[in-house]
Amino acid sequence: MCELPQPDSRLSRTRFLLAVLCLLLSVAAGACGGRQTEAATPKPRPQPRPVNPLGDSDRDGIPDGAELRSYDDRENFRTWFTAIAETQFYTTNKEWNPSQRDCAGLVRFAWRESLRTHDRPWFQRMGPEYQPVAPDVTAVKLAVGLLGEKLFRNRNGEFSDADLTDGAFVEFADASTLRRYNSTFISRDRRQAMPGDLFFYYQPWVQKFPYHVMIFLGRSHNASDSANDWVVYHTGSSPDDKGVVKKVRLSVLDHHPDPRWRPTESNQNFLGFYRIKILE
C-alpha cells in the first residue's frame, strides 16, 4: 500500500496528489476484494425434505417411494425407456415374453427393464444390441423397490398402505389401465410432449381392446437425422397375427391412409399425450 506523505515534505504537488490517488485506489481494491471473497464463500444448500415412501403427496395413487423425484432420475429413466423400446424395432428381445407382445406389452417391458440395475449380467442377458445410454435410476430399484415387479396401479383413488397387499398394484396393465391409472394427460398438442411420454387412441368399434398406446421417442437413438418426432409402437396381436414393432415419425402418421390413426388434434380417436405418473 502507498504511504500518504505529509504536505510539508519536499514532494511536488503533483507527486503528492498521485500518492493520494494511489492510497485511495488501494483502499478501494481492498474493499472490493473483501466483497468478492465473501460472495465466493458457498452457502450451505437447503436439505431436501425427507420423503415418506408410503406418502402420496400429489394424490395420484402412486406412493412417493415409487416415484422419480429428482431431475436426473427422470431424465435417466426417459433415456433408458426410449432406448429399450426403440431397440425392439430392430431386434425383439428374447426376454420380452412372446405372450405379452402387444402395444401395452412394449410399454411394460421397456418400463420394467429401465428400472433394473444395468450391470454386466443385465447386458449379457439382454444381448449385444444394448449399450450403456445413461446412469441408472437411483431412487427406485426394481429388485428392492417398494412395488417390486407390481409396477402398475389398476384402480382409482389415493394411495394407502393397504394397496401394497390388496391387489391395487399388479404386474400386468393393458393400454386402458396405463392411461387411466398410471399416466397423466398432458396435451393433444405434440409440442408439449417429452421423450418417454405415451399417446393413446380410442377405437370403440374394436370391442376387446379399444385402446391403443404408442411411445413418443423424440429424437431417435439410432437414426442419424435431426428429426425430433420419432415414435415406436407394437401393432397389436391377434390369434391370426402376432403383430410387429414399428418405428415412424409423427409427421408420417399425420398422413396415415386411415384418418382415425392420425395423431392430430382434429382426430377424435386420438386422445393425446400422457406422462407416466412416476415422472410427475
Side-chain angles (χ1 to χ4, degrees):
M1 179 181 295
C2 298
E3 295 183 1
L4 179 62
Q6 298 300 317
D8 58 351
S9 69
R10 296 183 179 180
L11 291 173
S12 67
R13 181 178 180 83
T14 300
R15 293 182 61 190
F16 175 78
L17 292 176
L18 288 174
V20 172
L21 179 60
C22 177
L23 176 60
L24 293 175
L25 289 175
S26 297
V27 172
C32 182
R35 287 194 296 270
Q36 290 177 343
T37 302
E38 181 180 358
T41 303
K43 295 182 179 180
R45 294 183 179 181
Q47 295 298 316
R49 295 180 179 179
V51 174
N52 175 12
L54 297 178
D56 187 6
S57 57
D58 53 5
R59 300 181 179 181
D60 65 352
I62 308 299
D64 291 345
E67 295 182 339
L68 306 180
R69 305 178 68 82
S70 74
Y71 174 83
D72 288 343
D73 267 356
R74 292 192 294 268
E75 289 301 299
N76 292 337
F77 176 87
R78 286 189 179 98
T79 302
W80 280 110
F81 180 67
T82 54
I84 291 170
E86 183 179 355
T87 302
Q88 305 318 301
F89 168 73
Y90 298 97
T91 305
T92 303
N93 194 274
K94 64 183 185 301
E95 297 290 320
W96 185 9
N97 189 331
S99 67
Q100 296 193 20
R101 292 178 185 174
D102 57 16
C103 66
L106 176 61
V107 175
R108 295 193 305 271
F109 176 73
W111 186 330
R112 184 171 282 113
E113 295 302 322
S114 298
L115 293 176
R116 296 195 191 278
T117 298
H118 304 108
D119 52 12
R120 184 175 181 183
W122 185 86
F123 286 106
Q124 290 176 332
R125 186 177 74 254
M126 296 294 283
E129 299 85 7
Y130 296 81
Q131 300 295 327
V133 293
D136 282 355
V137 169
T138 59
V140 178
K141 293 291 186 182
L142 193 68
V144 296
L146 184 64
L147 302 178
E149 296 272 350
K150 297 180 179 180
L151 297 173
F152 310 106
R153 188 172 180 87
N154 66 356
R155 67 177 65 157
N156 281 321
E158 296 181 25
F159 174 79
S160 68
D161 296 5
D163 291 347
L164 296 177
T165 56
D166 67 0
F169 290 89
V170 292
E171 294 187 26
F172 179 86
D174 60 15
S176 175
T177 302
L178 289 172
R179 184 188 72 88
R180 294 179 64 187
Y181 310 120
N182 296 277
S183 57
T184 301
F185 175 74
I186 299 300
S187 176
R188 288 167 58 83
D189 182 350
R190 66 189 60 181
R191 292 174 296 182
Q192 304 301 317
M194 296 181 65
D197 284 349
L198 311 177
F199 60 104
F200 294 85
Y201 295 87
Y202 179 60
Q203 315 284 10
W205 59 89
V206 183
Q207 295 183 0
K208 190 174 182 180
F209 298 110
Y211 289 92
H212 187 74
V213 59
M214 300 183 182
I215 300 173
F216 180 70
L217 301 177
R219 292 190 182 277
S220 167
H221 291 272
N222 294 285
S224 58
D225 59 34
S226 59
N228 61 359
D229 65 341
W230 286 99
V231 304
V232 64
Y233 63 96
H234 193 284
T235 58
S237 61
S238 68
D240 302 323
D241 184 5
K242 294 182 179 180
V244 296
V245 176
K246 289 191 174 183
K247 175 185 168 185
V248 67
R249 292 179 57 187
L250 284 176
S251 57
V252 174
L253 285 178
D254 287 342
H255 303 284
H256 194 284
D258 186 344
R260 294 173 296 187
W261 290 106
R262 295 174 184 173
T264 57
E265 297 182 59
S266 60
N267 176 15
Q268 295 183 353
N269 300 114
F270 171 63
L271 300 181
F273 294 91
Y274 288 69
R275 188 152 300 147
I276 296 173
K277 283 185 176 180
I278 66 170
L279 299 175
E280 282 287 277

